[in-house]
Amino acid sequence: MDIEKKNLIYKALALTFCIMFFSILFSQIFTERKMSKFDMEMTYLRDTLKEGQVILSLRQALNTRQGRSDDLLTDGLAARLFETGIDIQRLSNNEDSNTFFKKVSREWIYLNIELWQKLIAHNRNAVNKKSYIIYIYPFDCNECVSYKNLFNKLHKEYGEKLWLFILPDNAESGVLHTIKQYYKIKDNAPSVIVNGKPADISKIEGILKDSMKKNKKPAKKTKR
């Protein structure tokens, strides 16, 4: 083999190693950015929940009920919840992010269920109640694309009026196991709960339209 061919092979090998090195580097940077984003979003949810508890304690200490009953349900929180849930679901199909996904998913479930409890408490006394969907999906779910498309549509249509809790089916989560037992949800199958009742995907839009009509505050009659 002449020197020119050897040099060509060495250059090709060097280029291949460079591509592999930068691919791994960029993948690591991307993963770290994702981790940073999820940490930021979950910290925001954690702080929101803690702030709500402090407000309740403060009112008890001051013996006052001043303020709204929906302090936790701030504008934009439902959107952040939905967008982060979709991002986490996207990770479930990425083998490179499998370890990170397992780490994130359990805490994500816990934070979502805490917010769900606050939403239920809000709806007990609120005039304009908020609808919600709890969506539980298994890992590597090929049939879940239709659910994702529907929830994107519903989020755009209803915004902050509809809360979407998008949860991975994590067998290690005791909280999720309790919910699945209560609603008789099967393992390893996409499941939906709409306003406290299990529902089929084909009926979700109809259920929500009926709920929105019932939950809408009636217009005040003008005095003549």
Side-chain angles (χ1 to χ4, degrees):
M1 188 180 293
D2 57 31
I3 295 175
E4 190 174 333
K5 285 185 178 179
K6 283 184 178 180
N7 288 337
L8 189 62
I9 291 171
Y10 291 148
K11 286 179 181 178
L13 287 171
L15 180 62
T16 302
F17 284 125
C18 282
I19 291 171
M20 288 175 63
F21 171 76
F22 283 110
S23 296
I24 294 169
L25 179 63
F26 288 135
S27 175
Q28 184 68 24
I29 291 171
F30 175 77
T31 302
E32 286 178 0
R33 284 184 178 176
K34 277 287 182 185
M35 289 178 70
S36 177
K37 180 186 175 184
F38 290 137
D39 284 342
M40 181 180 70
E41 292 301 328
M42 286 193 283
T43 298
Y44 180 87
L45 293 178
R46 255 186 251 114
D47 290 346
T48 301
L49 288 164
K50 285 179 182 176
E51 186 178 32
Q53 295 299 333
V54 171
I55 289 170
L56 290 175
S57 299
L58 183 60
R59 285 180 186 166
Q60 290 173 0
L62 298 176
N63 194 25
T64 177
R65 294 183 180 180
Q66 184 179 359
R68 300 181 303 167
S69 62
D70 58 344
D71 293 296
L72 278 174
L73 310 181
T74 55
D75 290 341
L77 185 57
R80 295 180 77 151
L81 193 72
F82 169 73
E83 288 162 10
T84 306
I86 289 292
D87 281 343
I88 289 176
Q89 185 182 11
R90 196 177 293 121
L91 276 180
S92 67
N93 295 318
N94 187 344
E95 291 182 3
D96 295 334
S97 305
N98 195 36
T99 303
F100 171 58
F101 174 72
K102 286 181 179 178
K103 176 187 174 184
V104 165
S105 61
R106 193 170 179 183
E107 185 178 7
W108 177 247
I109 290 167
Y110 180 75
L111 289 171
N112 273 255
I113 299 307
E114 274 203 277
L115 277 173
W116 174 49
Q117 291 179 78
K118 300 298 181 186
L119 187 62
I120 291 172
H122 160 79
N123 281 343
R124 287 197 189 104
N125 302 313
V127 177
N128 289 325
K129 303 181 190 301
K130 295 178 185 288
S131 290
Y132 66 84
I133 292 175
I134 298 175
Y135 168 50
I136 302 169
Y137 63 90
F139 301 131
D140 302 322
C141 177
N142 295 324
E143 60 183 302
C144 292
V145 176
S146 56
Y147 286 85
K148 184 178 175 181
N149 292 338
L150 174 61
F151 297 147
N152 271 311
K153 177 186 172 185
L154 293 174
H155 175 64
K156 288 178 182 177
E157 184 176 351
Y158 293 112
E160 293 290 314
K161 295 177 183 177
L162 174 65
W163 284 56
L164 286 148
F165 301 97
I166 301 173
L167 309 178
D169 192 351
N170 189 330
E172 295 178 3
S173 172
V175 177
L176 191 61
H177 178 69
T178 301
I179 289 171
K180 286 167 66 178
Q181 274 194 322
Y182 180 81
Y183 288 107
K184 297 179 174 61
I185 290 172
K186 295 179 181 178
D187 292 329
N188 302 317
S191 305
V192 176
I193 300 162
V194 182
N195 293 334
K197 294 181 181 179
D200 185 84
I201 186 172
S202 62
K203 298 178 181 179
I204 292 173
E205 290 186 272
I207 294 170
L208 282 175
K209 284 180 182 178
D210 291 341
S211 295
M212 294 292 181
K213 285 179 184 177
K214 291 177 183 177
N215 294 340
K216 191 175 181 181
K217 183 179 178 180
K220 291 182 180 180
K221 294 181 180 180
T222 55
K223 294 182 180 180
R224 293 184 180 179

